[in-house]
């Protein structure tokens, strides 16, 4: 029981940190690596660090900054010391802007500084970098740690970062990079310049030049996967109009050489697990399905990184932790979930029984009903016969498709639990069903399979491995799912889609893109709705299960029409889904 309580405490801490970073950054699709240990040691410091990270990635170019970190580590910089300096410089770079927008953060910053000085003063008196921390935090609390000449110089470097960034602006991370590099070379490794060269030399190295390392920093960076790990290809200077078109995904398709394509595919394997599909079959499906609006896109079929892992990395640990979080959500709601499984399975069982029973109805043809003949003379009634109505076909197959984009991250536990409830109910009544999730990273729409149609009931627990990341190209995911569903022999085919009504493939930093059409806003909603109509026209019953924000409800209505269930609370999901 104690271990479960501890697991729940850690999961809630992680959830709170992520939400704070997303709220401050305004980017709910960003991957975050929460420092749960810091939060558990010191709530104020953990919260303030989350505020700083969120603000930094809101106002500064995080790709530029992350590439610098990778290159610095390529030259064997001390990762732990570099991380400490990064957090110090982040604070200096954003605190004035954050306090302007969120005045309450000033008190939190002071509390975090006081907590640092109270708990870690002794541990930081013996090193030059530690002494800089004491001076910096002492300045925040109004005290002084007696800065020497070197630290006075480093405090001046940090002071240069203290500025208010105009609202709505996003600026270069270069000043922060220069400050981090200066402090590291001066206080941590004075011999770095002599051995490896200056900042220009560090930034000049390409990622392809890095030798294989035991730990690849790019795999553990807490930034959005779509921003890494490729360099921007060298291009001629663009006009503002051309640059805007390129950012929007417009323009002629980029011709990729085989080496670049292979690297992109390797990245998918590394971060989403190897594909279970043979290359020729995957190529055939891409040719058949990635057409029209989705021309230039690709499909990627996987059982997930935990089942077919290339090597352990940040993404595998992130997915593993999400799976643990989902199972914690299940345990917290087990009684309610078991009740809903029972209710839903009974409703399905009764519905199937009704479909297998023959009915008799009054008709103008069939077997005559002698006692009703008198009606002809007095009422003109012509339905004097009883006709047998054959039982309906009770042969069903179900596909469950879960939106796994970053916008679902706050609801990932609830979505996983409700998918499990559906799976259990379907298994109890013996209806074959498949469960998949979808998201889009770069040009790839990833379909992750949790169970196949005829898998045993034990396989249902795989849905707890549901994780969220990147974007979502709903129309292509629906098209690919329906393509295989329609090949099933069952007469009655049902597709259940769990989504938030926000199809959105922003095509951010697609350096290897073949320039598919920008997929967002009204265009994406309309395309998804058209795909749903085509699938229904082919004989598949489609039900949307909406668990998003009320502001997106209108988009959900446009996509699914009347055939959707609006879930405001996890407890009402199962009964609602069958109505």
């Amino acid at each position: 029981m104690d271990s479960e309580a501890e697991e729940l405490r850690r999961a809630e801490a992680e959830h709170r940190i992520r939400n704070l970073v997303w709220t401050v950054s305004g980017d709910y699709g960003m991957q975050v690596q929460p420092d749960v240990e810091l939060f558990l040691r010191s709530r104020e410091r953990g919260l303030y660090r989350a505020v700083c990270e969120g603000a930094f990635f809101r106002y500064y170019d995080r790709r530029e900054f992350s590439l610098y970190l990778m290159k610095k580590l390529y030259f064997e910089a001390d990762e732990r010391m570099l991380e400490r300096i990064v957090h110090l410089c982040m604070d200096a770079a954003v605190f004035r802007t954050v306090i302007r927008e969120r005045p309450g953060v000033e008190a939190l910053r002071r509390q975090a500084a006081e907590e640092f000085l109270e708990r870690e003063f002794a541990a930081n008196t013996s090193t030059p970098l530690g002494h800089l921390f004491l001076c910096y935090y002492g300045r925040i609390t109004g005290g002084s740690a007696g800065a020497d000449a070197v630290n006075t110089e480093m405090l001046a470097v940090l002071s240069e970062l203290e500025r208010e960034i105009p609202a709505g602006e996003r600026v270069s991370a270069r000043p922060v990079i220069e400050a981090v590099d200066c402090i590291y070379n001066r206080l941590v490794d004075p011999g770095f310049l002599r051995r490896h060269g200056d900042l220009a030399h560090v930034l000049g190295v390409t990622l392809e030049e890095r030798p294989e390392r035991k730990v690849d920093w790019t795999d553990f960076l807490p930034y959005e996967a779509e921003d890494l790990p490729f360099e921007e290809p060298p291009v001629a200077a663009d006009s503002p109009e051309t640059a805007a078109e390129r950012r929007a995904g417009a323009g002629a398709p980029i011709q990729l050489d085989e080496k670049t394509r292979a690297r992109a595919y390797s990245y998918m394997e590394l971060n989403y697990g190897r594909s279970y599909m043979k290359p020729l079959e995957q190529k055939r499906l891409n040719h058949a399905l990635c057409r029209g609006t989705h021309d230039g896109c690709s499909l990627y079929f996987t059982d997930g990184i935990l089942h077919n892992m290339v090597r352990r990395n940040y993404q595998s640990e992130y997915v593993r932790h999400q799976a643990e979080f989902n199972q914690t959500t299940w345990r917290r709601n087990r009684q309610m979930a078991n009740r809903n499984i029972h209710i839903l399975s009974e409703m399905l069982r009764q519905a199937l029984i009704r479909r297998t029973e023959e009915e008799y109805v009054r008709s103008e043809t069939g077997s005559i009903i002698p006692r009703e003949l008198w009606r002809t003379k007095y009422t003109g009634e012509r339905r004097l016969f009883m006709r047998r109505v054959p039982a309906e076909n009770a042969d069903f197959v179900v596909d469950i498709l879960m939106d796994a984009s970053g916008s679902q991250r706050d609801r990932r536990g609830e979505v996983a639990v409700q998918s499990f409830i559906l799976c259990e109910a379907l298994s109890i009544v013996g209806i074959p069903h498949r469960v998949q999730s979808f998201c889009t990273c770069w040009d790839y729409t990833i379909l992750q399979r949790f169970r196949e149609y005829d898998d045993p009931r034990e396989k249902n627990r795989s849905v707890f491995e549901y994780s969220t990341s990147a974007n979502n190209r709903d129309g292509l995911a629906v098209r690919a799912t329906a393509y295989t569903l329609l090949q099933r022999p069952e007469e009655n085919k049902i597709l259940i889609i769990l989504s938030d009504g926000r199809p959105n493939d922003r095509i951010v930093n697609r350096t290897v893109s073949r320039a598919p059409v920008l997929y967002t806003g009204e265009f994406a909603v309309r395309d998804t709705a058209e795909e749903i109509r085509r699938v229904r026209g082919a004989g598949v019953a489609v039900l949307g299960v909406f668990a998003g924000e009320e502001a997106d409800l209108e988009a959900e209505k446009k996509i699914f029409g009347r055939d959707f269930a609006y879930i405001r609370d996890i407890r009402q999901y199962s009964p609602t889904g069958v109505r």
Side-chain angles (χ1 to χ4, degrees):
M1 189 66 179
D2 289 342
S3 62
E4 185 172 328
E6 174 64 17
E7 180 183 358
L8 181 59
R9 188 166 74 105
R10 295 180 68 86
E12 289 177 344
E14 178 183 342
H15 187 66
R16 184 166 186 182
I17 296 168
R18 287 186 193 280
N19 278 341
L20 189 53
V21 173
W22 292 330
T23 300
V24 177
S25 70
D27 183 355
Y28 292 86
M30 181 174 67
Q31 289 189 10
V32 180
Q33 190 177 20
D35 191 338
V36 176
E37 300 298 335
L38 177 63
F39 181 86
L40 295 178
R41 289 199 314 271
S42 169
R43 179 178 172 275
E44 288 76 15
R45 288 174 62 198
L47 291 176
Y48 183 65
R49 177 170 293 183
V51 170
C52 283
E53 288 182 358
F56 186 82
F57 295 134
R58 177 179 180 180
Y59 292 111
Y60 288 89
D61 186 334
R62 67 175 178 266
R63 176 178 172 81
E64 179 187 15
F65 191 67
S66 64
L67 287 174
Y68 158 73
L69 294 178
M70 283 189 287
K71 293 174 180 182
K72 189 74 174 178
L73 288 168
Y74 162 67
F75 287 106
E76 300 178 349
D78 185 304
E79 184 174 330
R80 188 175 67 86
M81 294 298 178
L82 191 63
E83 183 181 4
R84 292 192 70 196
I85 297 169
V86 164
H87 289 131
L88 195 67
C89 292
M90 278 185 177
D91 173 52
V94 303
F95 82 89
R96 291 188 185 278
T97 305
V98 173
I99 290 171
R100 179 193 70 202
E101 298 182 350
R102 302 170 186 270
V105 170
E106 186 169 12
L108 180 63
R109 181 174 185 251
R110 184 182 181 88
Q111 290 170 355
E114 290 172 347
E115 176 73 18
F116 177 88
L117 293 173
E118 180 182 340
R119 293 196 177 189
E120 301 193 30
F121 186 91
N124 284 274
T125 56
S126 58
T127 65
L129 182 60
H131 196 216
L132 175 62
F133 270 80
L134 296 178
C135 294
Y136 184 80
Y137 287 121
R139 202 171 56 169
I140 295 173
T141 60
S144 172
D148 58 18
V150 173
N151 277 312
T152 298
E153 181 184 344
M154 295 301 98
L155 288 171
V157 169
L158 290 168
S159 295
E160 288 294 317
L161 298 177
E162 297 176 3
R163 52 172 292 201
E164 283 194 36
I165 302 170
E169 278 197 18
R170 191 177 183 84
V171 298
S172 170
R174 184 59 183 249
V176 186
I177 291 170
E178 291 174 350
V180 171
D181 207 63
C182 174
I183 294 171
Y184 182 88
N185 294 345
R186 192 69 184 272
L187 300 184
V188 177
D189 187 357
F192 188 93
L193 285 171
R194 174 176 47 80
R195 296 194 313 274
H196 302 299
D198 60 9
L199 179 59
H201 183 71
V202 171
L203 295 177
V205 70
T206 62
L207 299 187
E208 288 81 358
E209 294 174 17
R210 296 175 304 154
E212 189 65 28
R213 302 172 59 196
K214 290 183 180 178
V215 177
D216 188 343
W217 176 255
T218 65
D219 299 339
F220 291 86
L221 275 175
Y223 310 130
E224 199 166 357
E226 63 184 318
D227 290 341
L228 298 168
F230 300 115
E231 292 272 20
E232 288 281 357
V235 293
D238 289 334
S239 67
E241 294 78 9
T242 306
E245 287 178 1
R246 186 154 50 83
R247 286 193 298 271
I254 300 171
Q255 299 301 316
L256 305 179
D257 57 44
E258 290 304 315
K259 181 179 178 182
T260 305
R261 290 183 188 276
R263 289 174 62 234
Y265 193 83
S266 295
Y267 180 82
M268 303 309 298
E269 291 185 317
L270 178 64
N271 288 282
Y272 293 95
R274 293 186 179 92
S275 176
Y276 61 77
M277 191 170 287
K278 294 179 179 178
L280 284 178
E281 177 65 10
Q282 195 158 278
K283 185 175 181 180
R284 184 183 70 81
L285 286 174
N286 281 333
H287 179 73
L289 301 174
C290 297
R291 295 174 174 272
T293 298
H294 310 294
D295 186 36
C297 297
S298 299
L299 290 161
Y300 189 81
F301 301 88
T302 177
D303 286 325
I305 192 171
L306 299 183
H307 290 275
N308 217 338
M309 191 184 301
V310 175
R311 68 172 182 268
R312 178 177 173 271
N313 59 10
Y314 165 74
Q315 185 67 10
S316 67
E317 293 307 298
Y318 174 68
V319 171
R320 193 185 308 280
H321 196 73
Q322 287 209 33
E324 292 170 357
F325 177 85
N326 294 340
Q327 292 183 64
T328 300
T329 305
W330 158 256
R331 286 192 289 270
R332 291 172 62 187
N333 296 277
R334 181 178 295 170
Q335 186 175 358
M336 173 276 299
N338 285 334
R339 184 173 64 252
N340 279 346
I341 289 169
H342 175 74
I343 293 171
L344 181 54
S345 60
E346 282 303 306
M347 293 175 73
L348 289 172
R349 195 193 309 277
Q350 292 302 318
L352 290 175
I353 289 173
R354 286 195 298 272
R355 292 181 69 91
T356 57
E357 292 177 341
E358 291 184 345
E359 290 186 70
Y360 287 86
V361 297
R362 297 175 67 94
S363 174
E364 295 182 7
T365 60
S367 301
I368 195 166
I369 310 173
R371 66 176 181 275
E372 300 292 328
L373 290 176
W374 65 271
R375 291 177 178 273
T376 306
K377 180 178 179 181
Y378 297 102
T379 65
E381 174 65 62
R382 301 179 59 186
R383 292 180 300 167
L384 307 176
F385 301 86
M386 188 66 70
R387 181 168 60 86
R388 182 175 65 87
V389 179
E392 295 184 69
N393 191 305
D395 200 16
F396 280 88
V397 63
V398 175
D399 243 299
I400 300 172
L401 185 61
M402 301 183 286
D403 174 3
S405 62
S407 60
Q408 287 284 61
R409 189 172 284 111
D410 280 352
R411 294 178 288 272
R412 69 185 185 277
E414 287 82 356
V415 171
V417 169
Q418 298 308 328
S419 297
F420 181 71
I421 290 171
L422 274 175
C423 288
E424 286 288 278
L426 292 168
S427 293
I428 288 171
V429 297
I431 295 177
H433 56 287
R434 177 177 63 173
V435 184
Q436 299 179 105
S437 69
F438 70 95
C439 66
T440 300
C441 180
W442 285 333
D443 302 328
Y444 288 92
T445 289
I446 300 104
L447 285 162
Q448 179 174 341
R449 179 179 64 178
F450 299 98
R451 61 159 288 143
E452 266 294 354
Y453 297 107
D454 301 310
D455 280 342
R457 182 175 173 180
E458 295 74 32
K459 191 69 173 174
N460 293 341
R461 298 194 71 85
S462 296
V463 300
F464 291 130
E465 295 169 15
Y466 167 76
S467 63
T468 57
S469 67
N471 301 322
N472 52 308
R473 187 170 278 257
D474 295 40
L476 181 55
V478 170
R479 181 183 296 182
T481 302
Y483 182 82
T484 48
L485 175 60
L486 285 166
Q487 296 174 31
R488 290 287 298 186
E490 292 85 358
E491 182 175 340
N492 301 291
K493 300 175 176 64
I494 299 174
L495 173 58
I496 301 174
I497 303 172
L498 285 69
S499 73
D500 59 3
R502 295 173 60 190
N504 180 30
D505 186 14
R506 294 171 296 169
I507 321 182
V508 176
N509 288 333
R510 280 197 172 163
T511 60
V512 296
S513 175
R514 286 167 286 173
V517 175
L518 181 63
Y519 197 80
T520 188
E522 184 64 31
F523 175 80
V525 169
R526 188 169 61 251
D527 175 75
T528 306
E530 289 174 357
E531 199 61 51
I532 295 292
R533 284 196 293 272
R534 278 193 289 268
V535 171
R536 284 173 174 158
V540 177
V542 182
L543 171 68
V545 176
F546 178 67
E549 302 296 330
E550 194 161 347
D552 298 311
L553 190 55
E554 286 305 312
E556 186 82 355
K557 291 178 181 177
K558 291 178 183 178
I559 292 172
F560 292 102
R562 295 182 179 180
D563 295 324
F564 78 95
Y566 181 19
I567 308 306
R568 293 179 176 84
D569 187 277
I570 186 173
R571 291 166 295 183
Q572 68 171 156
Y573 176 93
S574 297
T576 304
V578 218
R579 282 203 291 266

